[in-house]
């Protein structure tokens, strides 16, 4: 946890300087006990009623860039003495996934303790609600005049002096094509796949959004097919904020929206729009999301890493989910039949059971299991000791910083190196734990034998047994499966 520590004193008098030193000592001790890291101290000598504090603003900017994980303050009043600023900080932290902890235990978002925010913010919230109501009335007045307000106009339109006009490019024709193809029988997924494979720009791409995807999706097609703007009606207030203190939005019911007919030129006729709405109610998607089947969540494409989708029309086989959704431009089919997978796994298990029935192999397997577990446990103990040493070293760094024996830049560099070592050790430790868990299945050889013999009495694989015996299966482009078993398979693998 990277901690931003905010300290505020009202004046630069001697007693306030003593308070500043005392607050720092409190934070050093608190962070040392938690085993966390100090990102930076943000110190202001100013009143808490104003937001125009240099280092507070710098901390807010760093929070927007997610440079730390927690804000620490002695008490909430050190951060803010007015409701607006309190909620600004609170909402920023919620949106960025940053926690707030005060040393007086009034606020601790890690444990869900946020009650004191209400005390500081209720008056501001009432005023914000009144402001919000005024904004909604203004929005309604603008809508009556046919004026569009939104971050982005509907795909196919542009905004000129507040009004919607049809764009002079290919996007209006793409909208018409989507409606036409849907009425002709194409599903939303198949329409999206064709547009993606043809390289048609997505709405996000046309709007110039950062990190816009080049892939068309079912949800994008659905938004276009259900948007009343395309028949010339202005619809405002389709979403609203969850509350005056949050930027998150929720969908409005139709009777809560502002809808005004014939405010701009339509791209789609009303008859076609209504026909599409009726058709959407009557039929299901042409390509559905992957159905839960035997190898769902265990079968993956070896090339793109996406899960394989079960398709009953292939016959009773699986294909790459990326290919199913977006076509050959995204990946190839990697087709594999379910029956072939069952036969392959059954064959492997039968060979294992035959080996287990041999007394000599039984003894060898048991001895190998015990030795393997012992070696793994020794490695795990070694990693735990190394991790503990690094944690102790981290506490020493805080003490060196507190005693001013090292500079803050030196502290950050030492902590970063230490954390990199910790991260690498934690990754190795998780690998060892996974290996140890894999060994548990042959911890009791007789139990394993009984489970496998019982497994062979089944006419088909069950999801429970499948997930107990196999970690995952990767399918190569030619349909060859690479099966990762949970047990140490004998030589036939």
């Amino acid at each position: 946890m990277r901690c931003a520590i905010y300290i505020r004193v009202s004046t630069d008098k001697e007693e306030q300087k003593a308070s500043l030193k005392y607050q720092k000592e409190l934070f050093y001790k608190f962070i040392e006990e938690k085993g966390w890291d100090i990102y930076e101290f943000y110190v202001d000598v100013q009143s808490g009623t104003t937001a125009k504090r240099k280092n507070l603003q710098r901390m807010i900017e760093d929070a927007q860039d997610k440079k730390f994980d927690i804000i620490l303050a002695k008490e909430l009043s050190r951060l803010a003495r007015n409701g607006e600023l309190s909620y600004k900080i609170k909402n920023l932290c919620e949106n960025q996934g940053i926690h707030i902890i005060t040393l007086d235990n009034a606020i601790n978002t890690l444990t869900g303790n946020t009650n004191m925010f209400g005390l500081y913010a209720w008056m501001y919230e009432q005023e914000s609600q009144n402001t919000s109501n005024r904004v909604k009335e203004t929005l309604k007045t603008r809508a009556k005049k046919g004026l569009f307000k939104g971050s982005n106009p509907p795909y196919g339109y542009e905004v000129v002096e507040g009004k919607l006009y049809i764009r002079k490019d290919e996007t209006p024709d793409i909208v018409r094509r989507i409606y036409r193809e849907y009425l002709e029988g194409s599903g939303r997924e198949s329409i999206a796949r064709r547009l993606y494979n043809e390289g048609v720009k997505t709405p996000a791409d046309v709007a110039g959004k950062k990190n816009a995807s080049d892939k068309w999706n079912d949800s994008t097609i659905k938004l276009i097919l259900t948007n009343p703007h395309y028949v010339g009606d202005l619809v405002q207030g389709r979403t609203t904020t969850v509350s005056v203190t949050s930027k998150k939005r929720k969908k409005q019911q139709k009777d809560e929206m502002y809808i005004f007919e014939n405010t701009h030129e339509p791209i789609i006729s009303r008859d076609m729009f209504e026909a599409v709405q009726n058709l959407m109610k009557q039929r299901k998607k042409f390509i559905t999301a992957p159905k839960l089947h035997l190898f769902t969540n265990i079968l993956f494409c070896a090339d793109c890493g996406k899960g394989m989708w079960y398709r009953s029309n292939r016959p009773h086989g699986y294909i790459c989910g990326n290919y199913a959704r977006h076509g050959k431009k995204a990946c190839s089919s990697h087709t594999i039949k379910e029956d072939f997978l069952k036969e392959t796994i059954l064959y492997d298990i039968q060979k294992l059971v035959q080996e287990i029935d041999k007394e000599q192999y039984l003894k060898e397997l048991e001895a190998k299991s015990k030795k393997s577990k012992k070696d793994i446990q020794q490695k795990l103990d070694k990693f735990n000791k190394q991790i503990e040493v690094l944690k102790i070293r981290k506490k020493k760094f805080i003490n060196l910083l507190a005693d001013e024996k090292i500079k803050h830049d030196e502290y950050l560099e030492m902590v970063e190196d230490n954390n990199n070592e910790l991260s690498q050790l934690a990754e190795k430790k998780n690998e060892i734990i996974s290996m140890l868990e894999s060994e548990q299945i042959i911890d009791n050889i007789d139990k394993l034998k009984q489970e496998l013999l019982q497994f062979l009495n089944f006419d088909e694989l069950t999801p429970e047994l499948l997930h107990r015996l196999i970690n995952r299966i990767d399918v190569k482009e030619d349909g060859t499966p690479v099966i990762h078993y949970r047990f140490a398979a004998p030589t036939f693998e």
Side-chain angles (χ1 to χ4, degrees):
M1 289 287 193
R2 300 164 299 170
C3 300
I5 303 168
Y6 185 75
I7 298 177
R8 182 186 61 77
V9 291
S10 300
T11 67
D12 58 358
K13 293 181 180 179
E14 286 302 318
E15 61 267 24
Q16 294 290 299
K17 290 180 181 178
S19 172
L20 181 62
K21 183 180 178 181
Y22 171 68
Q23 287 185 56
K24 278 191 173 183
E25 289 174 353
L26 286 177
F27 288 118
Y28 282 132
K29 185 177 179 181
F30 181 83
I31 291 173
E32 181 185 349
E33 290 175 354
K34 293 289 186 181
W36 294 343
D37 301 329
I38 299 171
Y39 174 73
E40 190 168 343
F41 280 94
Y42 299 84
V43 182
D44 279 313
V45 181
Q46 207 164 353
S47 168
T49 57
T50 176
K52 295 179 181 179
R53 285 176 263 158
K54 179 181 176 181
N55 286 313
L56 175 67
Q57 291 303 319
R58 189 165 61 85
M59 185 182 75
I60 289 173
E61 289 173 5
D62 288 346
Q64 290 170 336
D65 294 334
K66 196 68 171 63
K67 290 184 177 180
F68 45 77
D69 308 298
I70 292 179
I71 292 176
L72 294 178
K74 185 170 178 286
E75 54 196 25
L76 188 60
S77 63
R78 299 290 171 175
L79 282 171
R81 284 186 177 274
N82 67 72
E84 180 178 1
L85 184 55
S86 295
Y87 268 113
K88 179 181 178 180
I89 295 170
K90 177 175 179 285
N91 291 334
L92 170 63
C93 291
E94 286 177 348
N95 291 333
Q96 296 299 101
I98 294 172
H99 289 281
I100 302 175
I101 296 176
T102 58
L103 297 191
D104 62 357
N105 296 317
I107 304 295
N108 188 333
T109 58
L110 277 173
T111 60
N113 184 7
T114 60
N115 295 333
M116 288 297 290
F117 272 108
L119 181 63
Y120 286 92
W122 70 272
M123 291 181 66
Y124 162 71
E125 190 168 333
Q126 292 299 312
E127 177 56 31
S128 293
Q129 188 61 61
N130 293 334
T131 302
S132 176
N133 292 337
R134 289 194 293 270
V135 169
K136 288 178 180 178
E137 283 302 313
T138 302
L139 180 66
K140 188 174 181 180
T141 302
R142 284 177 55 87
K144 285 180 180 179
K145 296 177 181 178
L147 298 175
F148 175 85
K149 188 176 188 309
S151 55
N152 292 298
Y155 183 76
Y157 284 104
E158 62 181 344
V159 178
V160 180
E161 295 182 354
K163 291 199 173 186
L164 292 176
Y165 291 90
I166 297 177
R167 291 173 65 100
K168 293 180 174 63
D169 57 19
E170 66 167 353
T171 56
D173 288 333
I174 296 299
V175 173
R176 297 183 187 102
R177 171 184 169 179
I178 290 170
Y179 274 79
R180 184 179 67 254
E181 289 187 2
Y182 190 79
L183 287 176
E184 289 173 351
S186 292
R188 300 198 300 260
E189 285 281 7
S190 59
I191 294 171
R193 188 167 59 252
R194 279 196 292 273
L195 294 174
Y196 165 63
N197 281 288
E198 292 173 19
V200 176
K201 285 188 175 182
T202 62
D205 214 354
V206 171
K209 292 185 177 180
K210 291 183 179 179
N211 303 318
S213 173
D214 64 340
K215 291 183 173 67
W216 285 78
N217 293 300
D218 166 82
S219 57
T220 308
I221 301 297
K222 184 179 179 181
L223 282 173
I224 290 174
L225 289 174
T226 56
N227 193 337
H229 281 109
Y230 292 119
V231 298
D233 294 347
L234 184 68
V235 182
Q236 299 282 255
R238 298 179 78 181
T239 63
T240 187
T241 52
V242 175
S243 70
V244 293
T245 60
S246 174
K247 290 183 179 179
K248 291 186 177 180
R249 305 187 71 81
K250 64 177 181 180
K251 290 183 178 179
Q252 291 275 70
Q253 297 297 321
K254 190 173 181 180
D255 58 355
E256 296 174 321
M257 300 177 190
Y258 308 132
I259 303 175
F260 300 96
E261 296 184 353
N262 304 316
T263 60
H264 54 271
E265 187 180 356
I267 293 177
I268 301 297
S269 69
R270 289 188 185 276
D271 288 343
M272 179 178 274
F273 184 81
E274 290 302 324
V276 165
Q277 307 316 303
N278 292 331
L279 188 57
M280 289 181 74
K281 292 177 183 177
Q282 294 171 10
R283 80 184 205 198
K284 296 179 181 178
K285 298 178 186 176
F286 179 68
I287 290 184
T288 62
K291 297 176 182 178
L292 289 178
H293 217 264
L294 182 61
F295 291 96
T296 300
N297 298 326
I298 203 169
L299 196 62
F300 298 89
C301 173
D303 290 317
C304 72
K306 298 292 184 181
M308 304 286 283
W309 288 13
Y310 179 75
R311 286 287 177 262
S312 58
N313 59 347
R314 275 196 172 253
H316 305 295
Y318 296 81
I319 61 173
C320 169
N322 213 7
Y323 170 81
R325 181 180 289 277
H326 300 295
K328 61 184 179 181
K329 185 180 175 183
C331 196
S332 57
S333 63
H334 291 66
T335 305
I336 189 168
K337 292 182 179 180
E338 185 170 271
D339 289 342
F340 171 72
L341 275 173
K342 288 180 181 178
E343 291 169 5
T344 302
I345 293 169
L346 280 169
Y347 175 81
D348 285 356
I349 302 302
Q350 286 168 349
K351 293 289 288 183
L352 178 61
V353 171
Q354 288 172 10
E355 292 292 331
I356 283 181
D357 276 338
K358 298 174 184 177
E359 191 66 28
Q360 182 61 32
Y361 178 75
L362 194 66
K363 290 179 180 178
E364 289 177 1
L365 189 62
E366 189 168 15
K368 180 183 176 183
S369 175
K370 287 181 179 178
K371 184 178 184 305
S372 179
K373 284 186 66 177
K374 183 179 179 181
D375 291 343
I376 291 172
Q377 188 60 54
Q378 286 177 345
K379 288 181 180 178
L380 187 60
D381 292 341
K382 180 183 175 182
F383 286 138
N384 282 331
K385 287 179 181 178
Q386 289 176 325
I387 288 172
E388 193 58 36
V389 168
L390 290 174
K391 287 182 177 178
I392 293 171
R393 188 186 298 172
K394 184 186 285 192
K395 292 182 179 180
K396 290 181 179 177
F397 295 158
I398 292 178
N399 290 327
L400 288 171
L401 180 64
D403 294 337
E404 298 182 349
K405 292 181 179 179
I406 58 174
K407 295 179 180 179
H408 191 75
D409 289 344
E410 293 174 317
Y411 165 80
L412 290 177
E413 188 176 338
M414 293 162 73
V415 165
E416 184 179 2
D417 291 340
N418 200 68
N419 285 344
N420 287 338
E421 287 187 57
L422 272 172
S423 180
Q424 291 172 9
L425 284 173
E427 189 174 333
K428 291 178 181 178
K429 179 181 174 181
N430 288 334
E431 290 175 2
I432 292 295
I433 291 173
S434 296
M435 291 170 64
L436 195 60
E437 290 173 349
S438 296
E439 288 294 328
Q440 298 301 325
I441 198 164
I442 55 174
D443 188 43
N444 187 323
I445 301 299
D446 291 332
K447 183 179 178 182
L448 172 62
K449 180 178 176 181
Q450 291 303 316
E451 282 188 357
L452 293 174
L453 288 173
Q454 180 185 18
F455 166 78
L456 290 178
N457 291 328
F458 284 83
D459 294 330
E460 61 179 359
L461 289 173
T462 64
E464 179 186 359
L465 288 171
L466 182 67
H467 285 272
R468 289 189 66 174
L469 296 173
I470 294 174
N471 271 321
R472 66 181 281 145
I473 303 171
D474 295 313
V475 181
K476 296 182 179 180
E477 188 173 10
D478 62 0
T480 302
V482 179
I483 304 172
H484 303 275
Y485 288 101
R486 291 185 182 274
F487 51 81
T491 55
F492 64 82
E493 72 171 342

